[in-house]
Amino acid sequence: MIIIAGNRVNSVSEPLTPLEQYIVSEKLKSPQPFSYESEDQLKFELRMRTKIVEAAEEMYASRVKFGDFPKSQSNPAYWIRMPNGGFQLRPGVRSSDAIRDIWLNSEMYTFECATAIIMMMYKAVLETIGAPLFDTYFQNLVLYTWTTDEDLRIITKPGYESFPGDVLYFKNPDVNPATPEWQGENVIELGNNLFFGHGMGIKTPIEVIQELNAYRRPFAFRSAFLMHQVTAPDYKYLYQLSKSVPASTYTDITMPFRGIISRIGEFTVVAS
């Protein structure tokens, strides 16, 4: 069910894209309450979910390569490759330009699936709130597994109910030690029972499990499986950011340092 300003609603005003209409219909049918302060706040989430799906589809169509951290590569004009295989934003470079370059010059990039998820999240935020605000709030970016800027506020909750734009995780408990990069796969839900995982492409859940099972150790008996968790950015917080004024419109202002929060393993610590 969808609750707006304390009242349960049965519809959302048009216009909505087909994907947005699908998300709304699924949330309306759900017994779980999804509460919003306004319809505009809900529509912001719908727009950003759409941008996450688009970022995933565009990454799938790009020439980025899959590789673990020792094999990672990036465009040195925008990113400094760190000793751990992560990428640090080069000083003097706009965050928005560096994120878009991952898609524009995709053949120069190699990274693993968790880093890919964060890249797609940043791309969706950028295309939803615009470059001036993105450059204001997402400074000093580091792309390394689940390390994120504090303003992204990735949240992981238990549960199986998910919608397009959500991140799910397939775990491979008996992974072959020779291929540790296939211990699991982070995927973006696209809709129509399809998921995108960097390194796998677009697949159904059964196909994701079958591929992970191909990387189990000899005589393994446990199948890969979909974990009981759903990950998404804090849409309500990002909606509030979208209503602020970019720092570039001010004079004599110094932006504070934007810190980071980290995800360790399969769960997230969220900064307050």
Side-chain angles (χ1 to χ4, degrees):
M1 70 185 75
I2 295 176
I3 299 173
I4 297 177
N7 299 310
R8 184 172 179 176
V9 301
N10 296 315
S11 63
V12 176
S13 63
E14 301 289 344
L16 296 175
T17 67
L19 181 60
E20 291 169 347
Q21 290 173 339
Y22 171 77
I23 296 170
V24 167
S25 67
E26 291 299 300
K27 288 199 170 196
L28 287 172
K29 290 187 293 185
S30 172
Q32 178 181 344
F34 298 96
S35 298
Y36 302 90
E37 295 177 4
S38 65
E39 187 175 87
D40 191 48
Q41 188 182 67
L42 167 59
K43 286 188 173 181
F44 175 88
E45 177 184 320
L46 296 174
R47 287 194 298 272
M48 189 168 160
R49 284 182 177 276
T50 297
K51 293 302 181 182
I52 293 172
V53 170
E54 290 176 355
E57 293 173 340
E58 290 166 3
M59 183 173 285
Y60 172 66
S62 75
R63 291 176 287 177
V64 297
K65 296 177 286 294
F66 176 83
D68 56 13
F69 292 111
K71 299 175 183 176
S72 69
Q73 295 180 331
S74 63
N75 184 347
Y78 293 92
W79 302 96
I80 299 170
R81 186 183 184 278
M82 301 186 297
N84 61 12
F87 312 138
Q88 183 175 19
L89 185 68
R90 186 170 291 281
V93 171
R94 293 181 182 273
S95 301
S96 56
D97 292 339
I99 290 296
R100 284 174 173 156
D101 186 71
I102 298 168
W103 281 259
L104 291 173
N105 292 298
S106 57
E107 70 280 358
M108 302 181 71
Y109 289 85
T110 301
F111 44 81
E112 48 74 66
C113 68
T115 303
I117 294 292
I118 300 304
M119 290 173 171
M120 289 182 277
M121 292 288 185
Y122 282 141
K123 180 69 156 50
V125 175
L126 168 59
E127 302 304 343
T128 303
I129 71 174
L133 274 177
F134 187 85
D135 291 334
T136 295
Y137 287 101
F138 295 89
Q139 303 180 22
N140 308 308
L141 292 183
V142 171
L143 301 177
Y144 178 69
T145 187
W146 287 96
T147 300
T148 67
D149 184 283
E150 64 179 1
D151 284 312
L152 189 58
R153 297 200 181 189
I154 295 291
I155 299 172
T156 296
K157 296 180 179 179
Y160 284 120
E161 187 174 35
S162 60
F163 306 94
D166 281 333
V167 180
L168 306 179
Y169 185 72
F170 289 84
K171 186 175 179 64
N172 190 7
D174 284 340
V175 64
N176 191 323
T179 55
E181 62 272 24
W182 295 109
Q183 64 187 296
E185 183 74 2
N186 296 283
V187 299
I188 297 284
E189 182 171 344
L190 305 179
N192 297 317
N193 201 39
L194 293 174
F195 299 83
F196 169 69
H198 177 54
M200 278 195 182
I202 296 177
K203 296 183 180 295
T204 66
I206 292 176
E207 290 171 334
V208 173
I209 289 171
Q210 289 174 337
E211 183 148 353
L212 287 174
N213 283 346
Y215 293 96
R216 289 182 294 177
R217 64 174 181 263
F219 309 109
F221 64 90
R222 290 184 296 175
S223 172
F225 62 94
L226 176 63
M227 290 195 67
H228 185 68
Q229 64 182 49
V230 178
T231 300
D234 188 339
Y235 292 111
K236 293 179 181 178
Y237 175 75
L238 290 167
Y239 171 75
Q240 294 302 320
L241 289 190
S242 74
K243 298 302 181 182
S244 60
V245 180
S248 59
T249 64
Y250 291 96
T251 59
D252 300 322
I253 184 169
T254 301
M255 289 303 300
F257 172 75
R258 312 307 299 184
I260 60 174
I261 58 175
S262 297
R263 171 166 168 165
I264 302 173
E266 296 154 0
F267 298 94
T268 303
V269 177
V270 182
S272 59

PDB file of all heavy atoms in Angstrom, residues 140-158:
ATOM      1  N   ASN A 140      35.149  14.296  -3.581  1.00  0.00           N
ATOM      2  CA  ASN A 140      36.178  13.379  -3.072  1.00  0.00           C
ATOM      3  C   ASN A 140      35.747  11.910  -3.200  1.00  0.00           C
ATOM      4  O   ASN A 140      35.943  11.106  -2.281  1.00  0.00           O
ATOM      5  CB  ASN A 140      36.494  13.688  -1.606  1.00  0.00           C
ATOM      6  CG  ASN A 140      36.827  15.143  -1.374  1.00  0.00           C
ATOM      7  OD1 ASN A 140      37.690  15.701  -2.051  1.00  0.00           O
ATOM      8  ND2 ASN A 140      36.137  15.779  -0.434  1.00  0.00           N
ATOM      9  N   LEU A 141      35.159  11.563  -4.336  1.00  0.00           N
ATOM     10  CA  LEU A 141      34.635  10.211  -4.503  1.00  0.00           C
ATOM     11  C   LEU A 141      35.744   9.162  -4.500  1.00  0.00           C
ATOM     12  O   LEU A 141      36.831   9.374  -5.036  1.00  0.00           O
ATOM     13  CB  LEU A 141      33.851  10.095  -5.807  1.00  0.00           C
ATOM     14  CG  LEU A 141      32.541  10.869  -5.911  1.00  0.00           C
ATOM     15  CD1 LEU A 141      31.868  10.570  -7.240  1.00  0.00           C
ATOM     16  CD2 LEU A 141      31.613  10.530  -4.750  1.00  0.00           C
ATOM     17  N   VAL A 142      35.438   8.025  -3.903  1.00  0.00           N
ATOM     18  CA  VAL A 142      36.271   6.829  -3.957  1.00  0.00           C
ATOM     19  C   VAL A 142      35.384   5.687  -4.419  1.00  0.00           C
ATOM     20  O   VAL A 142      34.321   5.441  -3.832  1.00  0.00           O
ATOM     21  CB  VAL A 142      36.892   6.502  -2.590  1.00  0.00           C
ATOM     22  CG1 VAL A 142      37.575   5.132  -2.628  1.00  0.00           C
ATOM     23  CG2 VAL A 142      37.889   7.571  -2.175  1.00  0.00           C
ATOM     24  N   LEU A 143      35.797   5.001  -5.477  1.00  0.00           N
ATOM     25  CA  LEU A 143      35.062   3.848  -5.983  1.00  0.00           C
ATOM     26  C   LEU A 143      35.829   2.596  -5.586  1.00  0.00           C
ATOM     27  O   LEU A 143      36.849   2.248  -6.186  1.00  0.00           O
ATOM     28  CB  LEU A 143      34.916   3.927  -7.506  1.00  0.00           C
ATOM     29  CG  LEU A 143      34.183   5.164  -8.037  1.00  0.00           C
ATOM     30  CD1 LEU A 143      34.175   5.147  -9.568  1.00  0.00           C
ATOM     31  CD2 LEU A 143      32.764   5.239  -7.494  1.00  0.00           C
ATOM     32  N   TYR A 144      35.366   1.944  -4.553  1.00  0.00           N
ATOM     33  CA  TYR A 144      36.021   0.721  -4.064  1.00  0.00           C
ATOM     34  C   TYR A 144      34.991  -0.108  -3.321  1.00  0.00           C
ATOM     35  O   TYR A 144      34.532   0.265  -2.256  1.00  0.00           O
ATOM     36  CB  TYR A 144      37.190   1.064  -3.149  1.00  0.00           C
ATOM     37  CG  TYR A 144      37.874  -0.160  -2.569  1.00  0.00           C
ATOM     38  CD1 TYR A 144      38.617  -1.009  -3.390  1.00  0.00           C
ATOM     39  CD2 TYR A 144      37.751  -0.478  -1.221  1.00  0.00           C
ATOM     40  CE1 TYR A 144      39.230  -2.143  -2.873  1.00  0.00           C
ATOM     41  CE2 TYR A 144      38.359  -1.599  -0.692  1.00  0.00           C
ATOM     42  CZ  TYR A 144      39.091  -2.430  -1.522  1.00  0.00           C
ATOM     43  OH  TYR A 144      39.699  -3.562  -1.004  1.00  0.00           O
ATOM     44  N   THR A 145      34.587  -1.198  -3.932  1.00  0.00           N
ATOM     45  CA  THR A 145      33.557  -2.089  -3.429  1.00  0.00           C
ATOM     46  C   THR A 145      32.376  -1.266  -2.875  1.00  0.00           C
ATOM     47  O   THR A 145      31.828  -0.422  -3.583  1.00  0.00           O
ATOM     48  CB  THR A 145      34.117  -3.105  -2.404  1.00  0.00           C
ATOM     49  OG1 THR A 145      33.102  -4.054  -2.076  1.00  0.00           O
ATOM     50  CG2 THR A 145      34.712  -2.478  -1.185  1.00  0.00           C
ATOM     51  N   TRP A 146      31.975  -1.426  -1.590  1.00  0.00           N
ATOM     52  CA  TRP A 146      30.784  -0.755  -1.072  1.00  0.00           C
ATOM     53  C   TRP A 146      31.097   0.543  -0.332  1.00  0.00           C
ATOM     54  O   TRP A 146      30.256   1.047   0.416  1.00  0.00           O
ATOM     55  CB  TRP A 146      30.011  -1.707  -0.161  1.00  0.00           C
ATOM     56  CG  TRP A 146      29.299  -2.768  -0.933  1.00  0.00           C
ATOM     57  CD1 TRP A 146      29.734  -4.026  -1.190  1.00  0.00           C
ATOM     58  CD2 TRP A 146      28.026  -2.660  -1.582  1.00  0.00           C
ATOM     59  NE1 TRP A 146      28.814  -4.711  -1.946  1.00  0.00           N
ATOM     60  CE2 TRP A 146      27.763  -3.899  -2.196  1.00  0.00           C
ATOM     61  CE3 TRP A 146      27.094  -1.631  -1.695  1.00  0.00           C
ATOM     62  CZ2 TRP A 146      26.596  -4.138  -2.916  1.00  0.00           C
ATOM     63  CZ3 TRP A 146      25.930  -1.876  -2.408  1.00  0.00           C
ATOM     64  CH2 TRP A 146      25.690  -3.120  -3.009  1.00  0.00           C
ATOM     65  N   THR A 147      32.281   1.099  -0.515  1.00  0.00           N
ATOM     66  CA  THR A 147      32.599   2.393   0.067  1.00  0.00           C
ATOM     67  C   THR A 147      31.825   3.473  -0.675  1.00  0.00           C
ATOM     68  O   THR A 147      31.859   3.526  -1.905  1.00  0.00           O
ATOM     69  CB  THR A 147      34.104   2.681  -0.031  1.00  0.00           C
ATOM     70  OG1 THR A 147      34.816   1.663   0.679  1.00  0.00           O
ATOM     71  CG2 THR A 147      34.458   4.041   0.549  1.00  0.00           C
ATOM     72  N   THR A 148      31.128   4.338   0.059  1.00  0.00           N
ATOM     73  CA  THR A 148      30.308   5.356  -0.588  1.00  0.00           C
ATOM     74  C   THR A 148      30.425   6.698   0.119  1.00  0.00           C
ATOM     75  O   THR A 148      30.762   6.776   1.300  1.00  0.00           O
ATOM     76  CB  THR A 148      28.810   4.973  -0.600  1.00  0.00           C
ATOM     77  OG1 THR A 148      28.313   4.972   0.744  1.00  0.00           O
ATOM     78  CG2 THR A 148      28.599   3.616  -1.232  1.00  0.00           C
ATOM     79  N   ASP A 149      30.099   7.749  -0.616  1.00  0.00           N
ATOM     80  CA  ASP A 149      29.942   9.065  -0.022  1.00  0.00           C
ATOM     81  C   ASP A 149      28.775   9.015   0.967  1.00  0.00           C
ATOM     82  O   ASP A 149      27.777   8.333   0.735  1.00  0.00           O
ATOM     83  CB  ASP A 149      29.668  10.095  -1.132  1.00  0.00           C
ATOM     84  CG  ASP A 149      29.579  11.511  -0.610  1.00  0.00           C
ATOM     85  OD1 ASP A 149      28.525  11.850  -0.040  1.00  0.00           O
ATOM     86  OD2 ASP A 149      30.541  12.270  -0.778  1.00  0.00           O
ATOM     87  N   GLU A 150      28.896   9.772   2.062  1.00  0.00           N
ATOM     88  CA  GLU A 150      27.867   9.732   3.102  1.00  0.00           C
ATOM     89  C   GLU A 150      26.495  10.176   2.607  1.00  0.00           C
ATOM     90  O   GLU A 150      25.462   9.801   3.165  1.00  0.00           O
ATOM     91  CB  GLU A 150      28.277  10.608   4.289  1.00  0.00           C
ATOM     92  CG  GLU A 150      28.384  12.077   3.963  1.00  0.00           C
ATOM     93  CD  GLU A 150      28.769  12.934   5.164  1.00  0.00           C
ATOM     94  OE1 GLU A 150      28.974  12.385   6.251  1.00  0.00           O
ATOM     95  OE2 GLU A 150      28.840  14.157   4.999  1.00  0.00           O
ATOM     96  N   ASP A 151      26.445  10.960   1.537  1.00  0.00           N
ATOM     97  CA  ASP A 151      25.163  11.457   1.048  1.00  0.00           C
ATOM     98  C   ASP A 151      24.420  10.455   0.176  1.00  0.00           C
ATOM     99  O   ASP A 151      23.271  10.702  -0.192  1.00  0.00           O
ATOM    100  CB  ASP A 151      25.353  12.772   0.292  1.00  0.00           C
ATOM    101  CG  ASP A 151      25.596  13.942   1.239  1.00  0.00           C
ATOM    102  OD1 ASP A 151      24.829  14.063   2.217  1.00  0.00           O
ATOM    103  OD2 ASP A 151      26.551  14.700   1.035  1.00  0.00           O
ATOM    104  N   LEU A 152      25.040   9.336  -0.153  1.00  0.00           N
ATOM    105  CA  LEU A 152      24.313   8.302  -0.895  1.00  0.00           C
ATOM    106  C   LEU A 152      23.431   7.495   0.058  1.00  0.00           C
ATOM    107  O   LEU A 152      22.321   7.096  -0.288  1.00  0.00           O
ATOM    108  CB  LEU A 152      25.286   7.392  -1.631  1.00  0.00           C
ATOM    109  CG  LEU A 152      24.662   6.408  -2.622  1.00  0.00           C
ATOM    110  CD1 LEU A 152      23.847   7.139  -3.688  1.00  0.00           C
ATOM    111  CD2 LEU A 152      25.753   5.552  -3.272  1.00  0.00           C
ATOM    112  N   ARG A 153      23.955   7.227   1.262  1.00  0.00           N
ATOM    113  CA  ARG A 153      23.174   6.558   2.302  1.00  0.00           C
ATOM    114  C   ARG A 153      22.534   5.260   1.824  1.00  0.00           C
ATOM    115  O   ARG A 153      21.302   5.109   1.816  1.00  0.00           O
ATOM    116  CB  ARG A 153      22.113   7.495   2.882  1.00  0.00           C
ATOM    117  CG  ARG A 153      22.704   8.705   3.588  1.00  0.00           C
ATOM    118  CD  ARG A 153      21.725   9.333   4.546  1.00  0.00           C
ATOM    119  NE  ARG A 153      22.291  10.510   5.201  1.00  0.00           N
ATOM    120  CZ  ARG A 153      21.718  11.146   6.215  1.00  0.00           C
ATOM    121  NH1 ARG A 153      20.559  10.732   6.677  1.00  0.00           N
ATOM    122  NH2 ARG A 153      22.295  12.199   6.758  1.00  0.00           N
ATOM    123  N   ILE A 154      23.362   4.323   1.436  1.00  0.00           N
ATOM    124  CA  ILE A 154      22.869   3.004   1.043  1.00  0.00           C
ATOM    125  C   ILE A 154      22.317   2.282   2.270  1.00  0.00           C
ATOM    126  O   ILE A 154      22.933   2.257   3.329  1.00  0.00           O
ATOM    127  CB  ILE A 154      24.017   2.181   0.420  1.00  0.00           C
ATOM    128  CG1 ILE A 154      24.486   2.823  -0.895  1.00  0.00           C
ATOM    129  CG2 ILE A 154      23.586   0.738   0.196  1.00  0.00           C
ATOM    130  CD1 ILE A 154      23.478   2.727  -2.003  1.00  0.00           C
ATOM    131  N   ILE A 155      21.135   1.690   2.115  1.00  0.00           N
ATOM    132  CA  ILE A 155      20.475   0.994   3.212  1.00  0.00           C
ATOM    133  C   ILE A 155      20.147  -0.438   2.779  1.00  0.00           C
ATOM    134  O   ILE A 155      19.604  -0.651   1.692  1.00  0.00           O
ATOM    135  CB  ILE A 155      19.178   1.708   3.620  1.00  0.00           C
ATOM    136  CG1 ILE A 155      19.476   3.137   4.093  1.00  0.00           C
ATOM    137  CG2 ILE A 155      18.450   0.925   4.719  1.00  0.00           C
ATOM    138  CD1 ILE A 155      18.233   3.967   4.331  1.00  0.00           C
ATOM    139  N   THR A 156      20.497  -1.403   3.623  1.00  0.00           N
ATOM    140  CA  THR A 156      20.150  -2.800   3.375  1.00  0.00           C
ATOM    141  C   THR A 156      19.156  -3.260   4.433  1.00  0.00           C
ATOM    142  O   THR A 156      19.390  -3.087   5.631  1.00  0.00           O
ATOM    143  CB  THR A 156      21.402  -3.693   3.400  1.00  0.00           C
ATOM    144  OG1 THR A 156      22.267  -3.307   2.336  1.00  0.00           O
ATOM    145  CG2 THR A 156      21.026  -5.160   3.219  1.00  0.00           C
ATOM    146  N   LYS A 157      18.050  -3.826   3.972  1.00  0.00           N
ATOM    147  CA  LYS A 157      17.021  -4.310   4.881  1.00  0.00           C
ATOM    148  C   LYS A 157      16.715  -5.772   4.573  1.00  0.00           C
ATOM    149  O   LYS A 157      16.812  -6.197   3.420  1.00  0.00           O
ATOM    150  CB  LYS A 157      15.737  -3.483   4.729  1.00  0.00           C
ATOM    151  CG  LYS A 157      15.895  -2.011   5.109  1.00  0.00           C
ATOM    152  CD  LYS A 157      14.578  -1.268   4.937  1.00  0.00           C
ATOM    153  CE  LYS A 157      14.712   0.196   5.323  1.00  0.00           C
ATOM    154  NZ  LYS A 157      13.447   0.938   5.133  1.00  0.00           N
ATOM    155  N   PRO A 158      16.325  -6.559   5.584  1.00  0.00           N
ATOM    156  CA  PRO A 158      15.923  -7.938   5.319  1.00  0.00           C
ATOM    157  C   PRO A 158      14.600  -7.983   4.569  1.00  0.00           C
ATOM    158  O   PRO A 158      13.745  -7.111   4.735  1.00  0.00           O
ATOM    159  CB  PRO A 158      15.785  -8.538   6.724  1.00  0.00           C
ATOM    160  CG  PRO A 158      15.493  -7.364   7.603  1.00  0.00           C
ATOM    161  CD  PRO A 158      16.241  -6.211   7.015  1.00  0.00           C
TER     162      PRO A 158
END
